[in-house]
Amino acid sequence: MVKMLQCLVVLVSLVVSVHGLDNGLALTPPMGWMSWERFRCNIDCKNQPNDCIGEKLFMDMADRMVEDGFKDAGYEYVNIDDCWASKERDSAGKLQADPDRFPSGIKKLADYVHSRGLKLGIYNDFGTKTCGGYPGSLGHLEVDAKTFAEWGVDMLKMDGCYADVKTMPQGYPNMTKALNATGRPILFSCSWPDYERASKIQPDYKLIAKNCNIWRNYIDIQDSWDSVLKIIDYYAQEQDTLAAVSAPGSFNDPDMLIIGDFSLSVEQAKAQMAMWSILAAPMLMSNDLRTISPEFREILLNKEVIQINQDPSGKMGKRVMQDGDIEVWTKSLDLWEEHAVTYLNRGDSNQRVSLQLKNIGFDYILGYEVRDILNHIEIGHREREGNFTVTVPAKGAYMIYAYPSE
Ligand SMILES: *[C@@H]1O[C@H](CO)[C@@H](O)[C@H](O)[C@H]1NC(C)=O
Ligand SMILES: *[C@@H]1O[C@H](CO)[C@@H](O)[C@H](O)[C@H]1NC(C)=O
């Protein structure tokens, strides 16, 4: 009897723990665009009117998302990062947008983004100031949550500069409550575990998943292949902890997609797409959709790869093999015996990789139908035993989707 009760308790807690923050949002990893990595804190709208943090930038990106196929592919959120606010709160103590760069105000911008069928995200900071030196939300959580809700904001990224890290496990959930109390569903992105990691505090991921829809674990991405690899290293190192809390409503966030920026080659861009897909990462592009070249746009619009990212299981894939420069990452999908595999090659030359599918978790006795989904090529039937060989491009990736044969 005691045994049975214990079993029940375990079952019930399993069922509860897969449901992250209960606001009905981010049931699959959120997709969209975010200003930070590409446009930083450029506030010089006089000299760089197209590239500064101002309402035009976000309206332009909303237009491109709708007109160039991104919205149809699932990209939905247009996110303002730091440096949007005025340096002072208004006389009622509310945050206000910089009047020169956002002359119409955030509410009007939200209306515009909504009129295009998209959603608007915004940024604040848990501490006394944002990382860029704008007013922080410490002591103003309720009024800021209300302000964002009144403006029609749909997502909030809360950073953690100028804050006492030790108060985050209490303070971030306070913001979760304040957001909930507004009655407006607002997707909540927390930087809390990243700041804990940096302070050598072990994040309590159960608590984080209960209070945040997505959360940053690790340092900001930069526009470089090295930065992408460093993030992947961290995810590999922490994969058991991180995969355990990846579920509908709650996702680890390895930071923005830098596809179409200045540094990644086409193969490296495909690799970031394939890795973020297998990790069930939020797909938040930070690039210039007005000037992005077609080969990078095509990578971002790869519906087969997006579908793996958006798998309803919400599972984060894991690294199951590592041999020299080659890594193999797998994710089992929501449907029985469906799998995705990303092969990552960190080396300078193309490499042939041979393995038996049964050794990476493929258990179906009648074998699989396999597709190369980065290049949209049908590979055909493969047995679970016998060598399965692929060529993984130098500093690049190869990705397959496999489903059970009839
Ligand atoms: C969180 O809210 C509680 C209850 O209102 C309050 O006592 C506490 O000081 C708050 N903590 C932080 C860090 O904001
Ligand atoms: C507030 O929380 C409750 C209980 O967890 C949930 O049912 C509700 O959908 C939340 N509302 C919003 C607006 O997030």
Side-chain angles (χ1 to χ4, degrees):
M1 189 60 194
V2 173
K3 267 248 162 69
M4 225 172 98
L5 268 178
Q6 278 173 346
C7 275
L8 268 177
V9 169
V10 169
L11 263 178
V12 167
S13 61
L14 274 179
V15 169
V16 171
S17 71
V18 291
H19 282 287
L21 170 56
D22 178 22
N23 59 3
L25 300 174
L27 298 182
T28 61
M31 299 176 66
W33 184 91
M34 181 172 266
S35 54
W36 184 257
E37 198 293 314
R38 178 65 182 243
F39 295 97
R40 305 280 164 166
C41 192
N42 181 356
I43 55 171
D44 186 3
C45 288
K46 287 221 171 61
N47 295 308
Q48 295 170 49
N50 289 322
D51 295 333
C52 66
I53 302 304
E55 61 190 35
K56 179 177 188 304
L57 181 68
F58 300 95
M59 292 166 81
D60 282 355
M61 293 308 156
D63 292 346
R64 298 277 49 86
M65 279 169 67
V66 173
E67 286 158 37
D68 298 340
F70 293 98
K71 175 172 179 272
D72 287 342
Y75 296 91
E76 185 179 24
Y77 289 91
V78 179
N79 291 322
I80 308 170
D81 207 281
D82 201 356
C83 305
W84 61 271
S86 174
K87 284 273 163 116
E88 305 294 336
R89 289 175 176 268
D90 72 10
S91 54
K94 290 185 180 180
L95 289 172
Q96 50 187 345
D98 181 277
D100 297 322
R101 293 180 285 118
F102 293 85
S104 318
I106 303 294
K107 172 138 190 31
K108 281 277 160 54
L109 180 56
D111 290 346
Y112 181 78
V113 168
H114 294 155
S115 77
R116 305 243 51 184
L118 299 169
K119 294 181 169 169
L120 185 74
I122 207 162
Y123 168 104
N124 76 338
D125 190 284
F126 176 66
T128 53
K129 283 190 281 186
T130 72
C131 302
Y134 293 83
S137 288
L138 195 71
H140 306 271
L141 294 183
E142 278 87 9
V143 64
D144 290 352
K146 255 193 216 147
T147 304
F148 297 144
E150 280 163 14
W151 286 343
V153 163
D154 305 292
M155 170 166 169
L156 173 67
K157 170 179 174 180
M158 190 154 91
D159 214 336
C161 280
Y162 301 104
D164 179 354
V165 176
K166 288 191 296 298
T167 65
M168 288 181 178
Q170 199 185 40
Y172 269 84
N174 283 358
M175 189 59 174
T176 307
K177 285 190 203 93
L179 289 171
N180 183 280
T182 68
R184 182 175 179 85
I186 297 178
L187 197 158
F188 192 28
S189 162
C190 301
S191 300
W192 156 26
D194 179 27
Y195 285 88
E196 291 189 321
R197 176 199 53 76
S199 301
K200 308 223 178 323
I201 299 169
Q202 175 60 42
D204 177 351
Y205 276 111
K206 274 213 180 110
L207 184 65
I208 291 162
K210 226 178 236 147
N211 286 284
C212 309
N213 293 115
I214 65 175
W215 52 84
R216 289 280 311 285
N217 324 82
Y218 193 56
I219 51 176
D220 286 3
I221 198 163
Q222 307 297 332
D223 188 8
S224 79
W225 175 237
D226 274 356
S227 172
V228 171
L229 292 181
K230 245 174 127 175
I231 292 169
I232 294 170
D233 286 337
Y234 182 77
Y235 269 65
Q237 176 198 313
E238 298 291 324
Q239 64 180 0
D240 292 329
T241 305
L242 301 183
V245 285
S246 181
S250 61
F251 295 98
N252 298 286
D253 180 4
D255 211 4
M256 293 159 268
L257 294 167
I258 52 166
I259 295 167
D261 288 319
F262 304 107
S263 76
L264 296 191
S265 69
V266 166
E267 293 303 338
Q268 290 166 350
K270 283 182 178 174
Q272 194 193 14
M273 192 76 185
M275 283 305 306
W276 264 232
S277 165
I278 207 117
L279 291 173
M283 298 289 232
L284 299 170
M285 310 176 278
S286 192
N287 49 17
D288 191 341
L289 298 175
R290 299 165 300 194
T291 57
I292 190 170
S293 59
E295 66 267 32
F296 290 111
R297 182 185 304 129
E298 206 179 290
I299 292 166
L300 288 161
L301 295 178
N302 186 327
K303 290 193 178 150
E304 291 190 89
V305 175
I306 289 172
Q307 199 174 349
I308 302 302
N309 171 262
Q310 296 288 300
D311 185 71
S313 72
K315 279 187 197 150
M316 182 187 121
K318 289 193 196 180
R319 189 169 75 187
V320 293
M321 279 189 181
Q322 188 184 20
D323 183 8
D325 289 326
I326 298 291
E327 294 176 20
V328 180
W329 291 71
T330 62
K331 166 168 161 174
S332 50
L333 305 175
D334 198 41
L335 293 174
W336 179 76
E337 276 301 325
E338 294 202 1
H339 303 274
V341 183
T342 295
Y343 298 74
L344 179 69
N345 179 1
R346 295 168 183 251
D348 292 329
S349 48
N350 297 353
Q351 278 203 46
R352 280 168 74 74
V353 179
S354 238
L355 51 73
Q356 293 189 14
L357 292 175
K358 70 167 191 202
N359 290 338
I360 55 168
F362 287 51
D363 292 330
Y364 185 49
I365 193 146
L366 295 183
Y368 295 83
E369 304 304 313
V370 180
R371 270 183 74 75
D372 162 0
I373 57 173
L374 276 178
N375 306 298
H376 311 292
I377 295 168
E378 196 68 39
I379 296 173
H381 179 78
R382 289 291 185 276
E383 299 296 334
R384 54 187 286 276
E385 300 180 1
N387 282 337
F388 177 67
T389 305
V390 302
T391 300
V392 191
K395 292 193 167 85
Y398 187 89
M399 188 173 189
I400 60 165
Y401 159 63
Y403 59 95
S405 296
E406 302 254 315

